[in-house]
């Protein structure tokens, strides 16, 4: 059998199509290449960012600890025994006596205890001034010892092992965050202290451990090595809760009303345009609004997570409304007709049929909106949340800071060598929270969609 | 496109094989007088007047866009849900004006059920699909009573044998024909007086269509059924009364046998013999 197709000349039309086809394939190849390039560039930047944050942040999760053997020397701790209960004494009198004793304890020079225990660890006859010696442990070491003693006055005269943090400067020296070849005048620590630290490291008196303080302590200026994120974490948590409690129901309800119940009129069109515009308003403007309305007019406390949460709620509302309306719009008319045809009222149609179908999308939009609010900094600066707060807020009305603001504060801290890694570590904590929230969104979405 | 005739043009009027019923002896369930519908500035129906007999199948036929579905949707006020739709004239169910402002549309739709063109079961279990209507209208007083309603509705819809072991499975997992029978079961679960069907077989294959048509014929015993269909064969097979719509007008209505064998109007004759459509 002869090959018919091969011998037949191509028709003019086929030739024309072929010529065009080559051009079409060419443009497709170019578009594919451009798309691939865009992805590579974008991923490259993300990888660069993550690599940089990890490189800087990971060291902050290890911290140098100083293993002291402290003696509660009765000569330094020159204080009587804590007041016992005297018969016939009222509760208030007893408490006053206890407080008086605690004040006396606080007035003692606990640095002497620290100094003595450090000297005991140093080689015999090592020459170092007391002032320089005390630059090795973090300044909160003396508080640790005092608190131990107040909690257990029977320690008097005893020798106990106690771990304290090495100072931020010592930590820098050990980790090599500071150039070791710099002359004495430019070093934070005196030469004898530096040499002693190196000795301590080699004989195990100073060892590296996981920096739990980063997660369990509040911010601190006096004792930078002990500064942690707990206050900011709790502040952010309060704000997230407020956003969830306020923005989600208000946003979803507003979207349902606008999409399902509101009559189409010029007013609803106007509202719709404005909601879309609000989503594009810079977040700092919401901060100004919050400062003017919530603080100046309503006299809510400054720097409080409550105000922060309200501002972030305002900021998140348009996002949630727009996403929910989009989800409602996507529900097929067949489902609505089925419900109405069965004699369901409009409310029943929405709550029995439309909302369950759109629930996964609304949930995802909400979680991403909340994650966005969690990372927002600018509006919080304007309502005073950039203040240095060294306590964990007990209620949303207490002064607090937030994670992104803590990053901003640490980034500007004068002890650059030490806080550079702390800043990156805080960014890592924030990113982990973000990724966790987004992960939850993806997980819930896929689960709910499978069930539907 | 009509699934039964395919693309072939009918040149003869179809044979009427539906069960004959002495319509003159039947009471009138629904009466429509001068019904007009406007979608915005466009008029879709021009003064439709028709009587729908009790416990019989009335079919609306006519070419696409003739207004037959629009009129059907007036009967349970589904047009209310369309933005810009305006209905004029009167429609009475047992002498009661259904467009009376004092009448609750929710109650009306419980009395006049509807089956749509595309099967649209709820994305819920088979059981919940059927139980939904009785549940929202509070028709079952106990769990057992609800079970009874669901089972008997599925039986009446001829679906019971196929689904009795998987009532908890989603209704959307059934085949197209089964889904449509589920929608019929859902509609009859609230024991409506009238069932409206808007081209119920247009998305189904011939076998599923035949099953639904059989079902319609059985349901006729207890319900007043109005069916919109593109297929004249279907109208001839299932209905006792036929109304022919064209360009928003009701051209001719009467006993199905009369319409198909002896149409009075030229347009009707042209349509049923396949010359227009």
């Amino acid at each position: 059998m002869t090959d018919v197709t091969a011998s037949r000349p191509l028709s003019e039309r086929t030739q024309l199509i072929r010529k065009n086809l080559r051009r079409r394939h060419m443009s497709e190849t170019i578009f594919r290449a451009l798309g691939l390039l865009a992805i590579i560039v974008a991923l490259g930047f993300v990888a660069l960012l993550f690599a940089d944050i990890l490189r800087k942040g990971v060291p902050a999760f290890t911290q140098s600890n100083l293993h002291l053997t402290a003696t509660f020397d009765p000569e330094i701790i020159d204080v009587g025994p804590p007041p016992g209960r005297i018969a016939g004494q009222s509760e208030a009198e007893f408490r006053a006596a206890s407080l008086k004793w605690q004040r006396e304890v606080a007035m003692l020079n606990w640095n002497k205890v620290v100094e003595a225990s450090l000297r005991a660890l140093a080689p015999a006859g090592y020459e170092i001034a007391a002032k320089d010696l005390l630059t090795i442990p973090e300044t909160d070491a003396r508080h640790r010892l005092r608190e131990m003693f107040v909690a257990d006055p029977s320690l008097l005269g005893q020798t106990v092992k106690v771990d304290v943090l090495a100072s931020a400067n010592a930590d820098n020296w050990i980790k090599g965050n500071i150039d070791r070849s710099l002359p004495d005048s430019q070093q934070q620590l005196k030469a004898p202290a530096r040499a002693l630290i190196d000795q301590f490291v080699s004989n195990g008196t100073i060892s590296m451990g996981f920096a739990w303080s980063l997660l369990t302590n509040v911010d601190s200026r006096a004792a930078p090595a002990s500064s942690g994120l707990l206050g900011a974490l709790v502040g952010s948590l309060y704000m997230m809760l407020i956003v969830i409690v306020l923005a989600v129901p208000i946003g979803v309800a507003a979207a349902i009303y606008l999409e399902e119940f509101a009559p189409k009129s010029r007013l609803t069109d106007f509202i719709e345009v404005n909601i879309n515009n609000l989503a594009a308003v810079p977040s700092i403007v919401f901060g100004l609004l919050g400062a003017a309305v919530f603080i100046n007019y309503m006299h809510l406390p400054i720097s409080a997570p409550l105000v922060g949460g309200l501002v972030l709620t305002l900021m998140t509302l348009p996002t949630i409304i727009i996403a929910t309306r989009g989800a409602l719009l996507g529900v097929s008319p067949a489902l609505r007709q089925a419900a109405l045809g069965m004699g369901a009222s409009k409310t029943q149609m929405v709550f029995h049929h439309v909302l369950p179908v759109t629930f996964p999308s609304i949930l995802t939009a909400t979680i991403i909106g909340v994650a966005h609010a969690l990372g927002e900094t600018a509006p919080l600066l304007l309502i005073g949340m950039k203040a240095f707060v060294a306590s964990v807020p007990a209620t949303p009305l207490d002064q607090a800071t937030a994670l992104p603001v803590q990053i901003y504060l640490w980034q500007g801290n004068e002890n650059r060598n030490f806080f550079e890694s702390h800043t990156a570590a805080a960014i890592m904590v924030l990113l982990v929270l973000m990724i966790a929230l987004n992960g939850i969104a993806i997980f819930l979405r896929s689960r709910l969609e499978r069930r539907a | 496109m009509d699934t039964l005739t395919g693309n072939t043009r009918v040149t003869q009027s179809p044979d009427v094989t539906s069960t004959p019923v002495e319509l003159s002896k039947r009471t009138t369930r629904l009466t429509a007088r001068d019904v007009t519908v406007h979608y915005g500035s466009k008029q879709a129906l021009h003064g439709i007047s028709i009587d729908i007999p009790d416990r019989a199948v009335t079919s609306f036929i006519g070419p696409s866009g003739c207004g037959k579905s629009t009129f059907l949707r007036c009967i349970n006020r589904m047009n209310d849900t369309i933005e810009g739709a305006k209905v004029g004239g009167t429609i009475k169910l047992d002498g009661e004006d259904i467009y009376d402002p004092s009448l609750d549309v929710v109650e009306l739709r419980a009395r006049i059920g509807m089956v749509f063109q595309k099967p649209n079961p709820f994305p819920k279990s088979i059981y919940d699909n059927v139980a939904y209507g009785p549940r929202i209208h509070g028709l079952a007083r106990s769990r057992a009573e609800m079970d009874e309603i669901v089972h008997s509705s599925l039986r009446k819809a001829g679906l019971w044998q196929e689904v009795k072991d998987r009532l908890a499975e989603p209704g959307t997992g059934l085949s197209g024909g089964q889904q449509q029978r589920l929608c019929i079961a859902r509609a009859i679960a609230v024991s409506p007086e009238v069932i409206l069907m808007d081209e119920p077989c247009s998305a189904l294959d011939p076998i599923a269509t035949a099953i639904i048509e059989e079902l319609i014929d059985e349901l006729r015993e207890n319900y007043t059924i109005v069916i919109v269909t593109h297929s004249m064969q279907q109208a001839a097979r299932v209905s006792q009364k036929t109304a022919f719509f064209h360009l928003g007008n009701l051209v001719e209505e009467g006993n199905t046998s009369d319409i198909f064998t002896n149409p009075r109007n030229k347009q009707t004759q042209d349509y049923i013999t396949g010359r227009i459509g």
Side-chain angles (χ1 to χ4, degrees):
Chain A
M1 209 170 119
T2 51
D3 193 354
V4 184
T5 48
S7 59
R8 213 158 100 189
L10 286 170
S11 76
E12 206 178 313
R13 205 174 119 268
T14 314
Q15 280 178 338
L16 203 65
I17 291 173
R18 265 203 196 159
K19 219 178 84 197
N20 275 328
L21 207 59
R22 200 173 306 129
R23 219 180 49 221
R24 273 149 62 185
H25 283 318
M26 181 76 112
S27 62
E28 191 170 315
T29 314
I30 291 171
F31 264 111
R32 271 168 187 263
L34 283 175
L36 197 67
L37 191 72
I39 291 279
I40 290 170
V41 171
L43 282 183
F45 276 119
V46 171
L48 199 71
L49 177 77
F50 273 78
D52 187 55
I53 290 171
L54 283 175
R55 188 178 60 80
K56 284 185 180 147
V58 167
F61 283 98
T62 57
Q63 200 158 32
S64 26
N65 294 308
L66 186 54
H67 310 294
L68 289 182
T69 314
T71 305
F72 290 87
D73 188 348
E75 276 186 25
I76 306 170
I77 307 168
D78 183 17
V79 70
R85 263 221 122 101
I86 303 162
Q89 193 182 30
S90 76
E91 183 67 32
E93 281 168 342
F94 173 67
R95 204 178 308 135
S98 296
L99 283 173
K100 183 166 170 285
W101 179 78
Q102 280 184 29
R103 262 199 307 281
E104 277 171 31
V105 172
M107 295 301 286
L108 298 169
N109 193 350
W110 286 92
N111 269 338
K112 283 238 161 96
V113 183
V114 179
E115 188 197 332
S117 48
L118 279 166
R119 285 217 190 272
L121 290 166
Y126 190 83
E127 277 198 25
I128 182 167
K131 187 167 68 90
D132 295 339
L133 193 62
L134 286 170
T135 56
I136 298 174
E138 190 46 278
T139 52
D140 64 345
R142 61 177 193 272
H143 304 311
R144 283 283 310 281
L145 294 174
R146 189 190 69 208
E147 280 158 18
M148 281 171 74
F149 178 70
V150 169
D152 182 11
S154 68
L155 284 172
L156 190 65
Q158 293 192 33
T159 301
V160 290
K161 283 190 183 304
V162 52
D163 288 352
V164 297
L165 295 171
S167 70
N169 287 330
D171 197 65
N172 278 339
W173 176 255
I174 294 163
K175 284 180 184 159
N177 284 345
I178 193 158
D179 191 351
R180 287 187 170 230
S181 61
L182 284 177
D184 262 8
S185 59
Q186 288 180 32
Q187 289 286 358
Q188 300 283 350
L189 297 167
K190 290 283 187 310
R194 302 200 306 262
L196 190 58
I197 289 168
D198 287 341
Q199 271 192 36
F200 281 166
V201 171
S202 61
N203 67 20
T205 307
I206 289 179
S207 69
M208 306 302 281
F210 186 79
W212 288 110
S213 59
L214 197 62
L215 299 173
T216 57
N217 279 8
V218 293
D219 194 15
S220 170
R221 275 173 194 269
S226 76
S227 61
L229 287 167
L230 188 63
L233 261 170
V234 174
S236 278
L237 193 75
Y238 278 139
M239 287 195 286
M240 261 172 63
L241 284 178
I242 289 164
V243 171
I244 290 171
V245 166
L246 290 179
V248 177
I250 296 176
V252 172
I256 289 174
Y257 178 75
L258 281 174
E259 196 56 47
E260 305 283 343
F261 295 99
K264 288 269 168 289
S265 68
R266 215 165 270 183
L267 180 70
T268 46
D269 281 350
F270 179 76
I271 291 173
E272 188 178 339
V273 167
N274 276 288
I275 288 172
N276 290 337
N277 284 344
L278 272 181
V281 167
S283 57
I284 198 151
V285 176
F286 284 102
L288 273 175
L289 177 84
V293 175
F294 298 128
I295 293 174
N296 278 352
Y297 183 71
M298 291 169 69
H299 298 293
L300 290 173
I302 205 162
S303 300
L306 176 69
V307 179
L310 287 172
V311 168
L312 294 179
T313 298
L314 289 180
M315 207 194 73
T316 318
L317 264 179
T319 318
I320 293 181
I321 294 176
I322 291 170
T324 307
R325 291 192 70 181
L328 292 174
L329 210 61
V331 175
S332 88
L335 183 65
R336 293 164 193 276
Q337 284 188 343
L340 291 177
M342 284 308 300
S345 66
K346 214 158 188 187
T347 317
Q348 286 174 326
M349 174 192 88
V350 170
F351 285 94
H352 294 168
H353 302 286
V354 176
L355 266 193
V357 173
T358 49
F359 188 65
S361 325
I362 294 175
L363 191 77
T364 318
T366 302
I367 294 178
I368 288 172
V370 171
H372 190 75
L374 175 70
E376 196 54 68
T377 324
L380 302 182
L381 302 181
L382 290 179
I383 55 157
M385 289 195 83
K386 68 171 179 153
F388 167 75
V389 179
S391 62
V392 179
T395 70
L397 285 164
D398 294 334
Q399 295 204 326
T401 184
L403 271 181
V405 181
Q406 188 68 67
I407 290 169
Y408 168 80
L409 289 174
W410 278 354
Q411 199 276 332
N413 192 292
E414 52 275 19
N415 195 340
R416 290 289 310 133
N417 288 332
F418 188 72
F419 274 98
E420 197 170 46
S421 63
H422 258 52
T423 309
I427 292 173
M428 281 166 67
V429 171
L430 183 65
L431 282 179
V432 165
L433 272 181
M434 294 281 199
I435 292 168
L437 275 177
N438 284 304
I440 291 171
I442 293 166
F443 172 74
L444 285 177
R445 191 189 177 115
S446 66
R447 245 194 90 149
L448 289 168
E449 274 181 350
R450 213 180 314 135
R451 224 180 48 187
Chain B
M1 192 195 78
D2 171 13
T3 46
L4 281 175
T5 54
N7 280 328
T8 51
R9 277 275 170 152
V10 188
T11 48
Q12 266 189 337
S13 53
D15 296 332
V16 177
T17 55
S18 62
T19 327
V21 163
E22 196 80 48
L23 285 181
S24 54
K25 285 185 184 162
R26 287 286 155 94
T27 51
T28 297
R29 213 63 213 267
L30 280 158
T31 47
R33 290 293 173 266
D34 284 322
V35 175
T36 56
V37 173
H38 287 82
Y39 291 129
S41 58
K42 190 177 156 286
Q43 187 164 8
L45 283 183
H46 304 270
I48 307 295
S49 298
I50 189 173
D51 291 340
I52 310 275
D54 187 30
R55 283 179 294 122
V57 179
T58 305
S59 62
F60 295 169
I61 59 170
S64 296
C66 68
K68 55 191 190 299
S69 284
T70 301
F71 181 62
L72 187 80
R73 295 165 62 89
C74 289
I75 300 176
N76 70 343
R77 292 184 54 179
M78 283 300 276
N79 277 333
D80 290 13
T81 61
I82 296 172
E83 202 91 24
K86 239 173 46 211
V87 181
T90 55
I91 300 177
K92 288 183 176 171
L93 173 64
D94 296 333
E96 198 182 346
D97 186 3
I98 65 165
Y99 280 89
D100 191 313
S102 68
L103 182 130
D104 194 330
V105 67
V106 166
E107 184 203 304
L108 175 75
R109 288 182 190 143
R111 294 174 67 189
I112 305 182
M114 188 159 187
V115 176
F116 294 86
Q117 184 171 359
K118 225 181 117 220
N120 55 358
F122 298 129
K124 299 175 190 291
S125 73
I126 293 170
Y127 184 96
D128 286 339
N129 260 283
V130 183
Y132 184 69
R135 197 171 285 153
I136 57 169
H137 296 302
L139 299 181
R141 274 180 297 270
S142 66
R143 176 89 206 173
E145 212 173 318
M146 181 63 88
D147 284 350
E148 181 47 39
I149 291 175
V150 171
H151 296 179
S152 75
S153 302
L154 285 169
R155 259 188 220 108
K156 281 185 212 158
L159 196 60
W160 176 247
Q161 286 304 324
E162 291 153 71
V163 299
K164 62 179 177 189
D165 299 322
R166 44 177 180 147
L167 290 178
E169 281 173 37
T172 40
L174 298 170
S175 75
Q178 288 173 327
Q179 284 190 16
Q180 195 62 300
R181 275 181 285 150
L182 180 63
C183 291
I184 292 173
R186 184 176 68 185
I188 58 184
V190 292
S191 310
E193 293 148 46
V194 181
I195 301 174
L196 309 176
M197 298 187 175
D198 189 359
E199 298 180 37
C201 301
S202 64
L204 306 181
D205 64 60
I207 295 168
T209 301
I211 295 172
I212 302 259
E213 283 180 5
E214 234 170 88
L215 175 62
I216 292 171
D217 200 48
E218 279 167 31
L219 292 173
R220 183 179 51 77
E221 310 267 324
N222 299 308
Y223 302 94
T224 300
I225 294 171
V226 185
I227 178 170
V228 162
T229 177
H230 261 303
S231 154
M232 284 168 290
Q233 280 78 5
Q234 190 168 61
R237 280 194 298 266
V238 302
S239 70
Q240 283 73 45
K241 179 169 182 165
T242 298
F244 172 59
F245 286 73
H246 191 49
L247 300 175
N249 289 300
L250 177 62
V251 177
E252 187 171 349
E253 49 131 336
N255 286 342
T256 302
S257 50
D258 295 342
I259 293 276
F260 281 102
T261 53
N262 197 9
R264 281 161 304 187
N265 191 292
K266 176 82 173 54
Q267 273 181 325
T268 315
Q269 187 172 12
D270 284 351
Y271 182 70
I272 61 171
T273 54
R275 270 191 282 275
I276 59 165

